[in-house]
Amino acid sequence: MKISIVGAGIIGLCTAWALARRGHAVQLFDQAEVPNPAGSSVDDHRLIRHPYGEFDAYVRMVDEAYAAWERVWADLGTVLYAPTGTIAFDAAEQGWAAASQRSMHRLGIAHEVLKPAEAAARFPHLRFGAAEAVLYAPSGGVLRAGAIVEALARHLSAARNVELHQNTRVEAVEADQGRIVLADGNRIDADTVVVAAGPWATRLVPALAARVTPSRQVVAYIEPPAAMKQLWAASPMVLKIGADSGFYAVPPVPGTGLKIGDHRFSLEGDPAAPRELRAGEAEALMATAHDNLVDFSGYRLVQGKVCFYDVEPEERFIVEPLGSKAWLLSGFSGHGFKFGPVIGEKLAAGIDGALDVDALKGWAAGR
Ligand SMILES: Cc1cc2nc3c(=O)[nH]c(=O)nc-3n(C[C@H](O)[C@H](O)[C@H](O)COP(=O)(O)OP(=O)(O)OC[C@H]3O[C@@H](n4cnc5c(N)ncnc54)[C@H](O)[C@@H]3O)c2cc1C
C-alpha cells in the first residue's frame, strides 16, 4: 500500500517505521526540519514507567512498549535508553501513588512500598513530606527523546520504501480520498493517510478541537549542589502526582541534565506561537521543587523550556479512522512518547487488516 503520514514526531516516525517493516511504501511529511525543536517529541528525555494510577491498561501497555523499543534498538543498532527505576508518592492516603501500587500489585509488576523514613534514608536527596508511603519500582527509565527522533529519521531516510519530506507543510487532508494537499498546492494521493500532527492536529482536523486541547507546559533544567550530584547520578525518576501536585524530576543520565516539570495541564497556549518563557515561569516551577528536594536553596536554574501536550480530558489516546481512507492519532496527553513504537506497530497491523479497528481504538484508549 501507499501511505502518507503527516507529522514526523515520535508517533509519525514510529508509524512509518512499523509500516515500512511490513513492506508498505511510506511518504512522511513534516512542516519543519526533523527533529522539529517545537515538536512534542524532542528535548533530552521522556520517561517510561509502570506507575499509572488506576490505568491498568496503560500499565500493561508499558510492557508491550518495552518489547517494541527492543525492536527499535535492534533496527537502529543502538540503545537510546537508560534505566533508572521509579519513585512515586503523594500526600493523599489513597492518591495516585497508592492507586499505582494497587494496579502494579494486580498485574504482578515488581515494586516495593517504603515507609517515608526508609525512603529518605535510601534516597537522601529527596523529601517525602506528608506522604504515608513511597512506591519504588526497579523498572522505568529515560528514553533519549531527541536522539531517538534523530536516529529514527536517519534510519528511515535510508530505507528504500520511505521518503521523508522535511519543511513540507500539509495544508489539508481529504480523508475520504486518501489525499493530502501540500502548502505549495501539490496533491498527493495514497491508499491511506495517517495524521500524526501532535499539538497542531486541530488545524488539520478542526472537529478534533472539541476533544483535544493543546496545552503549554514548562520544564526546567536545574543544577544540583555539588554534594548532591552523586546521589542524582544514581537516582530513580521522581513522580509526585496528585490532586495538588504534578511534580516530576528526571535524573541526569549520560549526556543529559537534571530536569523538573509539572504534569498538571495548563490547557492554554498556541503551539504555533513563539516558545519564549514568560517572566517568572521557570522560577515558579523551581518553587514546586522546594518541598521535594533536600537543600533546594543550593540548586541553580540552568534553563527553562516550553513544550506542548495534546490533552484528551481522560488522558486516553485517540487512534481511530478519519473518513474512509485516513487515520487520526492524537490525545497523547503528555504520556505518549514511551508508546510510540507499539502504537506504530498496532496501527500498521490495523491498516493491514490484521487487527480489528474497534479493538485497536479500545486498546489505544486504555479500555
Ligand atoms: C514537557 C513534556 C514532557 C513529556 N514527558 C513525557 C514522558 O515523560 N513520557 C512520555 O511517554 N511522554 C511524555 N510527553 C508526551 C510525549 O512527548 C508526546 O505525547 C509525544 O511526543 C507526541 O508525539 P507526536 O508525534 O504526536 O507529536 P510531535 O512530536 O509534536 O510531532 C508532530 C509533528 O507534526 C508536524 N506537523 C504538524 N502539523 C503539520 C502539518 N500541517 N504539516 C506537516 N507537518 C506537521 C510537526 O512539525 C511535528 O514535527 C511529554 C511531553 C512534553 C511536552
Side-chain angles (χ1 to χ4, degrees):
M1 263 192 260
K2 277 171 63 179
I3 296 162
S4 298
I5 300 177
V6 186
I10 194 65
I11 301 294
L13 286 165
C14 287
T15 302
W17 165 75
L19 286 164
R21 284 179 121 224
R22 283 175 170 261
H24 296 294
V26 180
Q27 297 216 61
L28 182 55
F29 300 85
D30 204 287
Q31 62 190 357
E33 296 262 312
V34 180
N36 176 1
S40 301
S41 305
V42 293
D43 203 10
D44 287 347
H45 3 57
R46 292 291 182 257
L47 303 175
I48 180 166
R49 34 93 185 175
H50 277 107
Y52 244 97
E54 296 283 4
F55 259 134
D56 283 13
Y58 287 121
V59 181
R60 280 193 214 98
M61 208 190 276
V62 168
D63 285 336
E64 294 182 280
Y66 267 119
W69 281 112
E70 289 301 326
R71 292 185 279 279
V72 171
W73 309 144
D75 281 5
L76 296 182
T78 183
V79 177
L80 297 168
Y81 169 70
T84 61
T86 311
I87 283 264
F89 64 100
D90 61 62
E93 205 176 318
Q94 287 306 323
W96 188 85
S100 299
Q101 189 276 325
R102 287 194 300 273
S103 169
M104 289 168 69
H105 176 72
R106 273 194 298 276
L107 297 173
I109 310 288
H111 66 278
E112 295 170 56
V113 180
L114 308 175
K115 294 200 170 66
E118 235 181 305
R122 199 154 145 191
F123 306 107
H125 54 309
L126 303 179
R127 288 167 62 175
F128 299 98
E132 298 263 316
V134 176
L135 171 64
Y136 170 75
S139 59
V142 171
L143 293 158
R144 300 281 314 280
I148 290 171
V149 167
E150 254 181 74
L152 271 170
R154 232 185 355 258
H155 173 74
L156 292 172
S157 298
R160 61 173 173 77
N161 53 344
V162 180
E163 283 175 31
L164 173 58
H165 305 272
Q166 309 188 53
N167 298 309
T168 308
R169 189 157 55 82
V170 174
E171 201 59 52
V173 173
E174 296 176 7
D176 287 326
Q177 283 71 41
R179 182 175 301 136
I180 57 172
V181 183
L182 303 184
D184 65 8
N186 260 331
R187 296 171 132 67
I188 296 178
D189 288 321
D191 299 300
T192 301
V193 174
V194 175
V195 179
W200 294 269
T202 51
R203 296 192 161 200
L204 287 171
V205 185
L208 183 65
R211 301 168 66 194
V212 170
T213 310
S215 182
R216 185 177 177 281
Q217 306 291 137
V218 174
V219 298
Y221 282 87
I222 58 177
E223 194 187 346
M228 298 283 171
K229 284 194 173 156
Q230 262 194 309
L231 292 169
W232 274 112
S235 178
M237 73 179 87
V238 182
L239 306 168
K240 187 186 176 195
I241 309 281
D244 59 357
S245 168
F247 177 77
Y248 64 88
V250 190
V253 298
T256 74
L258 166 60
K259 185 168 79 181
I260 58 171
D262 188 338
H263 184 63
R264 285 174 297 175
F265 307 139
S266 78
L267 298 178
E268 58 96 15
D270 175 359
R275 293 298 173 86
E276 282 99 31
L277 283 170
R278 297 171 194 145
E281 266 183 330
E283 291 74 9
L285 181 56
M286 293 279 282
T288 68
H290 187 270
D291 292 343
N292 307 304
L293 306 184
V294 170
D295 286 344
F296 191 67
S297 55
Y299 282 72
R300 188 178 67 86
L301 174 63
V302 178
Q303 187 191 14
K305 284 188 179 175
V306 173
C307 183
F308 270 81
Y309 290 174
D310 51 346
V311 175
E312 195 277 341
E314 293 185 10
E315 303 179 38
R316 295 180 187 276
F317 304 157
I318 295 170
V319 175
E320 57 189 44
L322 177 69
S324 55
K325 293 181 84 174
W327 286 81
L328 176 62
L329 283 74
S330 182
F332 293 106
S333 308
H335 67 112
F337 192 96
K338 65 179 81 57
F339 298 120
V342 68
I343 287 171
E345 288 184 334
K346 295 274 185 187
L347 176 59
I351 288 173
D352 266 354
L355 187 59
D356 173 75
V357 171
D358 286 334
L360 173 55
K361 275 172 67 173
W363 170 85
R367 297 195 193 280

